[in-house]
Amino acid sequence: MKIKMISVDKTTYIKALEARVKKCKRCSLAFTRNNPVIGEGNLNARLMFIGEAPGEQEDLQGRPFVGKSGQLLTRIIQAMGLSREEVYIANILKCRPPGNRDPYPQEIENCLPYLFFQMELIRPEILVLLGRIAGIALFGTQFSITRMHGQLLYFRGIKVIPSFHPAYLLLNPRAKKLAWEDMKNVLKQLNLPIPDKQ
Ligand code: URA
Ligand code: URA
């Protein structure tokens, strides 16, 4: 017997998510945002980066990691021998908290289903969590970036390696060495060659 499958491609699903998030009013950030930031990159990516929330530039442009932190993230991705186009980049929150304050737990709870949808759709081999807030969002308040960075964890059956947030690295350049060790572990998990950069 032949089974007919209706195939809807991933782009269609992500567009539907985008339309939904644009109308989202689950929290008050809906009233202060200029643009929600859904995410961007390869919908078949093996590697997905998850940051905290859009900042000023991201809110204005509707794209993740395009400000100062974003430039550093782009350089980290390139140092790994990859490009932004071949990974996927998203955030815990889709909308910018005013003045870049930390997200409230209720905002995280409201917004996470959108990220989970993206994770299920993309099914990356590894998630890289950028910073403390992303770690806490997925693993709870006992999460410590200082203790857990670079370690292989699992979330819903997907490998996770937490590392430092690029904004933190800009303020604490000495932690870049540790972050690079974390990224080497990511590459190892993906069976990709480790460029001998720094
Ligand atoms: N910081 C984040 O956590 N995400 C962005 O998209 C930009 C800055
Ligand atoms: N504190 C944070 O919020 N993020 C980091 O990456 C490190 C320390």
Side-chain angles (χ1 to χ4, degrees):
M1 186 179 74
K2 265 200 189 152
I3 300 173
K4 271 201 181 155
M5 302 275 286
I6 299 171
S7 147
V8 181
D9 72 13
K10 290 186 178 187
T11 311
T12 308
Y13 280 107
I14 211 80
K15 287 213 169 110
L17 176 72
E18 251 174 62
R20 185 142 170 209
V21 173
K22 277 185 182 150
K23 285 190 285 184
C24 180
K25 291 192 177 126
R26 283 187 194 174
C27 78
S28 64
L29 299 183
F31 306 99
T32 51
R33 73 178 174 223
N34 287 297
N35 295 291
V37 177
I38 283 83
E40 68 181 25
N42 181 353
L43 295 177
N44 295 308
R46 301 179 65 197
L47 176 56
M48 178 169 172
F49 289 88
I50 301 175
E52 177 178 329
E56 185 182 23
Q57 278 307 312
E58 291 77 18
D59 172 70
L60 289 171
Q61 297 182 39
R63 295 180 53 208
F65 283 100
V66 288
K68 275 234 158 69
S69 298
Q71 287 163 22
L72 178 54
L73 179 62
T74 303
R75 289 203 298 275
I76 291 170
I77 292 168
Q78 288 166 352
M80 295 171 80
L82 302 168
S83 68
R84 277 180 73 114
E85 291 70 34
E86 61 191 314
V87 303
Y88 193 84
I89 305 173
N91 284 301
I92 298 290
L93 289 195
K94 304 305 184 217
C95 298
R96 181 193 185 201
N100 300 343
R101 64 159 169 76
D102 283 357
Y104 297 140
Q106 190 60 52
E107 291 166 348
I108 293 176
E109 197 181 314
N110 290 339
C111 213
L112 270 181
Y114 298 135
L115 180 70
F116 292 164
F117 180 86
Q118 288 169 296
M119 283 166 45
E120 294 294 330
L121 187 66
I122 295 160
R123 287 251 131 221
E125 286 167 55
I126 300 204
L127 302 172
V128 171
L129 298 184
L130 298 168
R132 186 178 68 88
I133 298 286
I136 287 176
L138 297 197
F139 292 102
T141 47
Q142 81 286 354
F143 179 89
S144 154
I145 191 76
T146 337
R147 276 189 285 116
M148 320 271 247
H149 78 89
Q151 287 191 40
L152 181 62
L153 309 171
Y154 284 87
F155 183 82
R156 296 186 166 193
I158 303 178
K159 287 179 177 179
V160 174
I161 293 184
S163 191
F164 300 100
H165 194 286
Y168 176 83
L169 296 177
L170 288 171
L171 292 170
N172 303 274
R174 276 184 298 178
K176 282 184 184 172
K177 237 190 166 115
L178 297 174
W180 180 240
E181 291 305 312
D182 299 345
M183 294 310 115
K184 288 208 274 194
N185 195 13
V186 171
L187 290 169
K188 203 175 92 190
Q189 293 297 331
L190 290 168
N191 278 316
L192 289 174
I194 295 167
D196 46 21
K197 151 126 192 337
Q198 50 168 324

